[in-house]
Amino acid sequence: MTVRPWIRRVRRAILATGTTAVLAAGLLTGAAVPAQAAAQRPCDLYAAGGTPCVAAHSTTRALYGGYNGPLYQVRRASDGATKDIGPLSTGGYADAQAQDTFCAATSCAITVLYDQSGRGNSLTQGLKGGGWPGPAAGGNDNLANAFEAPVTVAGHRAYGVYIAPGTGYRNNHTNGIAVGDQPEGMYAVFDGTHANDGCCFDYGNAETSGADTGDGHMEAIYFGTNTGWGRGSGNGPWVMADLENGLFSGVNRGLNTGDPSINDRFVTAIVKGEPDRWAIRAGNAQAGGLLTGYSGPRPGGSGYHPMHKEGAIILGIGGDNSNASAGTFYEGVMTSGYPSDATENAVQADITAAGYSSAPTGSGSLTPGSAVSLRATTACCTSDYLRHDDTDTKVVISAVGSSGPATDKAAAGWIVRAGLANSSCLSFESADRPGQFLRHYGFELYLNADDGGGNFAQDATFCATPGNSGTGASFRSVNYPTKYLRHYDYTAYVAGNGGSNAWDSASSWADDTTWVVGRPLA
């Protein structure tokens, strides 16, 4: 889609260093034809339905029962080295520990999403084409932080692809993807709680030039809250089809009430099209079946009937590289031919059986994935917990009792994550506002959504140390190593032990920077 970004931000340094070249040998390792499957995975089900996968991407699991090649590649910031991450076993789930080990004490970006279909349709860094430039070197798009979308699948830890504005992936030279008015299908599993109204969080078929070449030159899944062209019922987000120069929730632009808002934690999104027919289907990726938001003729006008699809593949951006969007991708495929509803229903059953979950893997410890509370230790405030404020984005301390309001207890809950700027340190994600992180700005603490900037990753990363008062734990800022997370006058800061700011006062500094890590209150 074409839209002028309203704000241009400086992006994360480690993501802005991506090159336009991708190692050919790395791409070829993702091109092995899957073996005969013992278990039926999505692409086995599509093949059985006569509409085989021609592209299959996932950072969480194999999409063929017989696949044992790489799922994705990461590059670490410390030395630029890369590593392929594969499944733990044939047809299995991603080996997240291999990523953790390789990226220890640094940060990593996802550089390649390998195509499991054997056709070589892997996704790499979105490149500047004829459309909107990205924020990375040469006007290219950023690469996703490899640690920012942790999940579990069938109880196995894995990582998704977290798209902050300015992040995107693409392949303009594909094999077997539908062109012109040829039939195709596609599905993706997204985070239903991570969306915005920027254009355009897409996965699917797009222009090979990276430029808007006219109506009907795209056919991609869109997920978000943009209302500039079309919308469904409620406030969104919606699954819609990006057909270029229009996000369609039905046969025409505008409101189509049959397309529902969907904000489940994990969402299955489907778009499929053939000559003068297309459909939107969607559902909860953790349980239940699929709803059909639209099925019928193409939009009016010569651009959409017949279609003029070009066969590139995009993720996280529009066809012309419009990159103001946000979202999270876990898995998705594209097919040859128009899949039947029955085939898609079988695929949905496999997705729900996979057991996607964002539930914390522990409670009360500083292990990534654990849910915690942080209680003050200063004599004045031993009933006070670190929490986000109700009325703004500031982070404060306040008394939170076991019999207090549920909203107060939820606001004092945090999910421990591997540090966004250093995986050996920590970041704290809000338990009740997924996707928002504790970060300092002007030395004061706030709860903010990632804006894709390098400063954000640094500001949201803290290294745990033994408590400065001799008990509990303290948290040192990764980019201001003499400053620690501190409460002062009931407001949270990163503060040094003495300095020009009031919150740097040496009085009670050791106690104010020491926290008891406990189980969540809610």
Side-chain angles (χ1 to χ4, degrees), residues 8 51 55-56 77 141 191 199 244 252 256 291 370 376 422 431-432 456:
R8 300 181 186 271
T51 52
D141 293 320
D191 180 344
C199 183
E244 191 53 279
N252 296 311
N256 291 280
L291 299 173
S370 183
N422 184 325
D432 67 336
F456 185 96

Side-chain angles (χ1 to χ4, degrees), residues 352-401:
T352 60
Y356 274 97
S357 176
S358 60
T361 56
S363 184
S365 75
L366 291 175
T367 303
S370 183
V372 301
S373 61
L374 298 174
R375 181 172 60 83
T377 63
T378 312
C380 67
C381 311
T382 56
S383 296
D384 290 1
Y385 290 82
L386 190 74
R387 55 164 293 176
H388 61 78
D389 204 355
D390 291 330
T391 58
D392 53 34
T393 61
K394 292 185 177 183
V395 175
V396 298
I397 63 167
S398 70
V400 182

Side-chain angles (χ1 to χ4, degrees), residues 252-273:
N252 296 311
R253 294 180 176 87
L255 173 64
N256 291 280
T257 58
D259 192 25
S261 295
I262 299 180
N263 50 22
D264 298 306
R265 175 58 179 85
F266 297 96
V267 171
T268 304
I270 291 174
V271 167
K272 56 184 175 181

Side-chain angles (χ1 to χ4, degrees), residues 100 103 108 203 266 373:
D100 294 345
C103 301
C108 274
Y203 173 72
F266 297 96
S373 61

Side-chain angles (χ1 to χ4, degrees), residues 177-184 205-206 208 215-219 273-276 298 303-312:
I177 305 301
V179 296
D181 211 22
Q182 291 177 339
E184 67 178 348
N205 195 323
T208 57
D215 297 357
H217 284 248
M218 290 182 62
E219 187 166 64
E274 63 179 353
D276 202 26
R298 294 286 189 180
Y304 303 111
H305 178 49
M307 292 284 285
H308 306 277
K309 293 175 280 193
E310 297 186 27

Side-chain angles (χ1 to χ4, degrees), residues 422-439:
N422 184 325
S423 63
S424 295
C425 297
L426 305 170
S427 294
F428 294 95
E429 182 181 10
S430 171
D432 67 336
R433 297 184 182 180
Q436 299 192 41
F437 292 83
L438 182 72
R439 59 85 61 96

